[in-house]
Each structure stands twice: as structure tokens, then as C-alpha cells.
Amino acid sequence: MHVMVLGAGVTGVTTAWFLQQAGFEVSLVDRQPGAGRETSFANGGQISISHPEPWANPAAPWLALRWLGREDAPLKVRPSLDPAQWRWALSFLHECLPWRTRRNTEAIAALALFSGERLRALRETTGIDYEQRAAGILHLFHTAREFAHAPMRASSLQKLGIPAEVRSREECLALEPALAGRPDAIAGGLYAPDDESGNAQRFTEALAAQLEARGALLHWNTEIRRLAVTRNRIEGAYVRDAEGRKGMLSADAVVVCLGSYSGRLLRPLGQRVPIYPVKGYSITAALAAPDRAPVVSLTDESRRIVCSRLGDRLRVAGTAELAGFDTTIRPERIEPLLEWARTHFPGAIDETQVTPWAGLRPATPGNLPLIGRGRLDNLWLNTGHGTLGWTLACGSAAALTALIEGQRPPVVFPFLD
Ligand SMILES: Cc1cc2nc3c(=O)[nH]c(=O)nc-3n(C[C@H](O)[C@H](O)[C@H](O)COP(=O)(O)OP(=O)(O)OC[C@H]3O[C@@H](n4cnc5c(N)ncnc54)[C@H](O)[C@@H]3O)c2cc1C
């Protein structure tokens, strides 16, 4: 059976990989000249199993109000007349109800744990190198008031099966000596030893190369314009290549992994998906003084900024903006990331060699990805991974492969059926 995977971000490429490993014939289609060139390009790099709580939680509406009007706020809403933005914002508010947050957190935690296992197994099978570090993630709290919540947070994570340990300021400094550049900024931390970090784009590209070496057909520079449907089945995808040549690619089944753009292709088929683009930014900086830069991946819980060491570079990422499909890089959103690196790790980065980037998180209101059957007989979805696409990629792909094979994935999650 031939399965065509639409979209070659980290979700699409891992989906194609797990399908191929299960014996399916696979092809992969993307408008970019290679894998992982859109949202999977320069994300925070964290395999953050210890962050299953969605943005939609009971505190979120109050925080959003507090940040209203601030250009450098971690969350910025640029209101538009687009009804999709309003619909999504209303659903987001609904997901902030305590019982919805609990349900979403549990489902994400289960999928994230499964995903971590699958990622480690994939690494063993393929031997690919993607600047990975299995050194855990240290969550940092700046004020004593925020740190006071750490024991409760650790115990909630432990109940979900996720190892997490409260660490004093001194223990944080011992774990990551580079934090000594600004010790006063830290009240304490929460350490998740099983978390990891790595370069999602490199991973995606390396895995795509292995797919091709094992016989998958990869169609680059190929824009998917619409899907052809006959009698409740997808016949194929109408595509256009870089030279403007049009054609149709067909398969026995189709998986949509188009990130924020999934809705555009699905809507004409009568399938609405609650995915809205939530823009985020990152900087990737060369290191001026490697020993002053952290090696443990960090999450600044107070500023909502994450940071990962990728080889001889430092990636700092964060911020969320509801601004439609705009990927313009705004200097006022980049500056807080630079300032964060500057003040936490003085002299570590070379400010003459900084690459800014913006990408669109394919966010569902509760941050639960859509994995499973679509509305047509041979249509499948694996999309809407929001803030955790890199973390959840391998688990989502393995679970979808099991569903396509007619099996039940070994994880408790509200799959689509
Ligand atoms: C600033 C930032 C930091 C983040 N940090 C982390 C992190 O630390 N950890 C984590 O787990 N997650 C993180 N994320 C989230 C993660 O990056 C995303 O969830 C993930 O990359 C989504 O992958 P995807 O494959 O679903 O989408 P994408 O990577 O966007 O892939 C979709 C693909 O579809 C293709 N496509 C779309 N439309 C068409 C079309 N019509 N024709 C052909 N091709 C098309 C695109 O070219 C693209 O390659 C972060 C995101 C951002 C923005």
C-alpha cells in the first residue's frame, strides 16, 4: 500500500519514516527545496516531556490581560477581522477551564513519554546526529514566589510518570555552571533529567535522507494546490512544481502533515480543523566564549523563553503572537531574546553572528495534536502540534502508523476516529 505524506516538517518526515519501517511504500511532498524548512527550522530545540501543561490553563486569560498592549510581552495578540482568529480565541478560553486543562495535560504527557521512547529507539536504529544532548531540561524560576510552586509542579509531573526534581539556586548553578554569570536572577529550579534537546531541522533532514536511501519518493519544490476526491476517497493531490508545471500525484492513502496550513487544504473537503498559526521567534547565535554558554537546555519559566545549546551555537526561542500567517521578523520581538542571552550569559554569544527567525506554531486551542482518521475513507491527519511538535513528533508518527495498520497505539490519547 502506497501512503503519500503531505508536508515534510518534523511531523511529516517522522510519519513517513514510521510508515516505511512498518512496510508501507511512502512518498513525501513539500513546497520547500528540502525537509524542515518552515516551523521545524529553528525552534527551541527542546524535547520537553516535562512541559505537558498547555498554554490554555486557568491562569492564561489573566496573564493575557496583564500583557495587553506591551510590544515585548510573551503573548501578543494582533486582533484582525479574520473570523478564524476569533473562533480559535474563544475555543482557547474554553480550554482554560480547569478540567479541560487537566485532561489536555494528561493526554500530552502520555504522548510525550511515548514519543521520548520512540525517539531514543529511532536514534539507535538510524545513528543520525542532530546535535542532540541528553542532559535534561532545567526549568528556572526568577522569584521566590514563582519558585514556591515548584514542589507542587514536580509532584504533578511525577504523578504523570515524568521524572522531575526541585533544585535550589546552588544546585542549579552546580548543574549548569554557566548560570554563575547572573546568579541573582535565579530563585531555584525544577530539573527534568530525562528531557533532551537537539536540532529539529538537522534531524528532519537526516531522516529524510535515510527515507530516500530506503526507497521513498521525495517530491521537493512541489506545491500542493488541492486534493482530488471521488466517492469519499482521495484520488490524489493536484500539484505544481517550481517551473510552474502542473500534475497529479496519487496514492492509496494520504496523511496531512501541513502544520499551520493544514486547514487550507482540508476545508474544501468539508473538514474544519481548529488550527491557528501562533507565531514565535528565535535567535541562533555563534559563541564568542563557549564556556560561558549553557550546555543544559533551559526553560525560563518567568520570561517564557527556552534555550538550547546546538553544537557551537546557542538557540534562544520564545514569544507567542496571534497575527495570522505573517512571518515577518519584528526587531522588537527579537530584542527580548537577545537581551535574555546577554544578561543571563554575559559575553557568551557573538552578537555580530546572530540569525533571527520567526515560525508559525500549528496550534490547536488545547495544544492537543490531531492524530487519526480524516473525514474521507483514505484520509489521515497528523497535525496541529503547536508548542510541542519536536517533542511529540516520533510518538505521533508511531501512533498514526499503528492506527493506519488497524492497531490500537499503546498510549492513552484522544485519537481521531
Ligand atoms: C519559536 C518556536 C519555538 C519552538 N520550540 C519548540 C521546542 O523547543 N520543542 C518542541 O517540541 N516544539 C517547539 N516548537 C514547535 C515546533 O517547532 C512545531 O510544533 C513543529 O515544528 C511543527 O512541525 P510540523 O511538521 O507539523 O509543521 P512544519 O514544520 O511547518 O511543516 C509543515 C510542512 O508543510 C509544508 N507545506 C505547507 N503547505 C504546503 C502546500 N500547500 N504544499 C506543499 N507543502 C506545504 C511546509 O513547507 C512545511 O515543510 C517551537 C515553535 C516555535 C515557532
Side-chain angles (χ1 to χ4, degrees):
M1 174 168 153
H2 171 199
V3 186
M4 178 161 61
V5 179
L6 308 183
V10 69
T11 311
V13 171
T14 47
T15 301
W17 171 261
F18 279 91
L19 285 166
Q20 191 185 58
Q21 289 291 297
F24 290 97
E25 183 193 334
V26 293
S27 56
L28 193 56
V29 191
D30 201 289
R31 60 187 169 197
Q32 296 291 343
R37 305 287 175 103
E38 296 205 1
T39 308
S40 306
F41 189 71
N43 66 20
Q46 292 192 325
I47 299 296
S48 186
I49 297 166
S50 62
H51 211 307
E53 307 90 358
W55 280 348
N57 62 60
W62 311 112
L63 281 174
L65 278 177
R66 208 172 83 200
W67 290 330
L68 218 58
R70 256 182 57 192
E71 259 322 308
D72 64 344
L75 169 67
K76 174 95 198 141
V77 182
R78 299 190 190 281
S80 77
L81 294 175
D82 178 8
Q85 190 190 58
W86 290 95
R87 256 197 313 272
W88 190 90
L90 280 176
S91 303
F92 180 89
L93 281 178
H94 176 66
E95 299 299 331
C96 291
L97 290 169
W99 70 272
R100 296 292 298 178
T101 305
R102 212 172 312 120
R103 162 202 179 258
N104 295 340
T105 304
E106 284 169 8
I108 294 169
L111 187 59
L113 281 163
F114 176 58
S115 205
E117 279 167 30
R118 298 288 86 212
L119 171 64
R120 284 188 283 274
L122 183 151
R123 204 159 56 210
E124 295 231 322
T125 313
T126 60
I128 58 175
D129 171 33
Y130 53 96
E131 302 179 314
Q132 67 270 26
R133 278 178 196 271
I137 291 180
L138 179 61
H139 299 253
L140 297 173
F141 302 92
H142 285 255
T143 65
R145 210 170 122 197
E146 287 161 340
F147 183 45
H149 296 290
M152 211 172 71
R153 180 108 172 256
S155 116
S156 312
L157 287 171
Q158 286 155 7
K159 278 188 201 134
L160 293 166
I162 300 169
E165 304 152 8
V166 176
R167 293 289 171 103
S168 66
R169 174 196 285 143
E170 291 66 35
E171 288 170 331
C172 290
L173 296 183
L175 192 66
E176 180 43 77
L179 287 168
R182 181 78 201 285
D184 54 309
I186 305 154
L190 182 76
Y191 181 53
D194 287 3
D195 283 359
E196 301 189 0
S197 59
N199 186 331
Q201 197 270 334
R202 237 184 225 203
F203 170 92
T204 307
E205 207 160 50
L207 199 59
Q210 295 223 4
L211 270 168
E212 191 168 32
R214 288 166 163 83
L217 260 182
L218 311 188
H219 303 277
W220 300 124
N221 297 306
T222 306
E223 192 194 346
I224 306 146
R225 293 162 59 79
R226 67 187 174 87
L227 296 172
V229 179
T230 326
R231 273 178 261 110
N232 221 41
R233 283 184 67 79
I234 299 195
E235 290 299 318
Y238 287 110
V239 295
R240 185 171 56 188
D241 71 12
E243 279 78 48
R245 288 184 299 246
K246 292 179 183 163
M248 185 161 105
L249 299 171
S250 45
D252 302 308
V254 168
V255 188
V256 171
C257 301
L258 297 168
S260 292
Y261 299 87
S262 302
R264 290 191 175 173
L265 214 73
L266 292 168
R267 211 171 306 126
L269 311 180
Q271 177 143 25
R272 269 187 188 279
V273 286
I275 296 174
Y276 194 78
V278 177
K279 187 176 179 180
Y281 291 84
S282 74
I283 53 166
T284 308
L287 295 178
D291 53 327
R292 291 193 194 175
V295 288
V296 174
S297 187
L298 303 171
T299 297
D300 181 332
E301 293 288 340
S302 310
R303 301 284 305 278
R304 283 157 177 83
I305 285 175
V306 304
C307 162
S308 295
R309 177 80 169 256
L310 301 174
D312 53 4
R313 296 173 306 154
L314 194 67
R315 170 82 45 83
V316 182
T319 88
E321 218 177 293
L322 245 62
F325 286 86
D326 168 33
T327 50
T328 323
I329 297 175
R330 293 173 181 264
E332 70 274 20
R333 306 292 288 170
I334 289 295
E335 185 49 35
L337 301 177
L338 261 176
E339 181 60 18
W340 188 89
R342 220 179 263 143
T343 54
H344 284 74
F345 306 104
I349 65 165
D350 175 352
E351 291 202 30
T352 64
Q353 291 189 64
V354 174
T355 310
W357 172 82
L360 302 175
R361 300 176 184 91
T364 63
N367 212 32
L368 285 191
L370 309 170
I371 305 168
R373 272 195 180 283
R375 279 196 54 180
L376 304 179
D377 289 345
N378 57 348
L379 172 66
W380 299 86
L381 309 188
N382 190 8
T383 184
H385 291 72
T387 62
L388 285 177
W390 176 210
T391 306
L392 301 177
C394 290
S396 308
L400 185 80
T401 300
L403 290 168
I404 295 178
E405 287 179 301
Q407 294 168 11
R408 185 195 284 263
V411 55
V412 180
F413 186 86
F415 295 109
L416 308 175
D417 59 14

